[in-house]
Amino acid sequence: MKIRLLGAVAAIALLAGGPAGHAADYPAKDLQGIIMWGAGGATDTVARAVTPLVESALGQQIVLVNKPGGTGAISTAFVAARPSDGYTLLYGAENPQLHKVLQLSQMDYADFYPVNILAHGVAVIVANNDMPWTSVKDLVADVQKRPGEVKMGSTGPGGLPHVVGSLLKTVIDFPVTAVPFDGEGPGITALLGGHVDFMPAGLSAAAEHIKAGRVKVLAVVNDGEIAALPGVPPITADFEGFGKYLPWGPFYGVFVKRDVPDDAKAKLVAAFKQAASDPKFVDLMVGRGNIMMNIAGTEADEFLGKWQSTTAWVLHEANATKASPAEFGIPKP
């Protein structure tokens, strides 16, 4: 009787200690970080900069793996298929918020919990140094003179170049040929090699190449100059009509599955908040033209919803979507 009683007590303690043990022990092993885009791109750069700081806060290593493809659909599907234990992180950009209207996936960030929206950035339009253009106006004139001949580096439907190109097409005739790559890093490498002629890209991905003079920057996709690129004109200097879409830009965040236990979420939120507040990380982000956010949970969800609403409906009205945002309950801004 005593043995059975002890066994029952042990069983009850084991069951009761499941969540509590998890809360005490998490993270008890290395984590895996899935980076949505390829090496060298803006998302990859941000992920690899913040992760060492997070590892110090968590006391465990985060093994980073690049898993590009499908404009982010491959990585989101991979993380969604992993156990809901908090050991698989998604380092993502803005792209999944357009997956539904572009018919790339039935998932978006509503299926994930925002551990941290680290920062948002601005886009730039960069060109190969051998091209004769000194402004977006020059680029557009050449594109219109040689329809279909000028090659634009892209990252596929829903990627930053696709969105910027689609927005431009609502303002002007812009018949370029898009050449897709698995991320901004490979796209900019192709630009350096002359395989494409120009590319809209996040400043975070292009900044070092601009500073080194390896590419020329034609404009900032903004309604005014930015401190990180003094003297570089905003796109509205040549095409005032683009101003109705601004401000607009990419963002960078870290996510887990929505049903990960609350204790794991809390520890991740605290670790990433601490890391994103580190002066070294802040200096890196600001130096690349990004605007720090460092938000999580409900505040981050509100930001994600607003970005999705604005961008999805703009693209839909530009005839650049395959389905209406209304089909998915995405409200008009």
Side-chain angles (χ1 to χ4, degrees), residues 125-191:
I125 298 179
V126 291
N128 181 279
N129 282 333
D130 291 336
M131 301 310 294
W133 319 311
T134 59
S135 66
V136 176
K137 188 175 182 180
D138 292 344
L139 164 62
V140 169
D142 196 13
V143 166
Q144 293 176 346
K145 183 179 179 181
R146 302 186 293 130
E149 294 183 30
V150 177
K151 296 178 182 177
M152 179 184 81
S154 182
T155 54
L160 184 150
H162 172 253
V163 175
V164 173
S166 296
L167 296 180
L168 266 171
K169 287 179 181 179
T170 70
V171 179
I172 45 144
D173 182 32
F174 197 58
V176 298
T177 296
V179 181
F181 299 92
D182 282 335
E184 291 175 303
I188 292 175
T189 298
L191 179 67

Side-chain angles (χ1 to χ4, degrees), residues 1 14 21 39 43-44 52 60 68 104 152 158 162 168 176 222 246 289 323 327:
M1 182 68 174
L14 183 62
T43 307
D44 180 72
Q60 294 288 354
L104 294 172
M152 179 184 81
H162 172 253
L168 266 171
V176 298
N222 198 43
L246 301 173
E327 292 182 32

Side-chain angles (χ1 to χ4, degrees), residues 74-89:
I74 299 298
S75 57
T76 52
F78 178 85
V79 174
R82 302 294 294 165
S84 301
D85 56 10
Y87 283 94
T88 306
L89 311 179

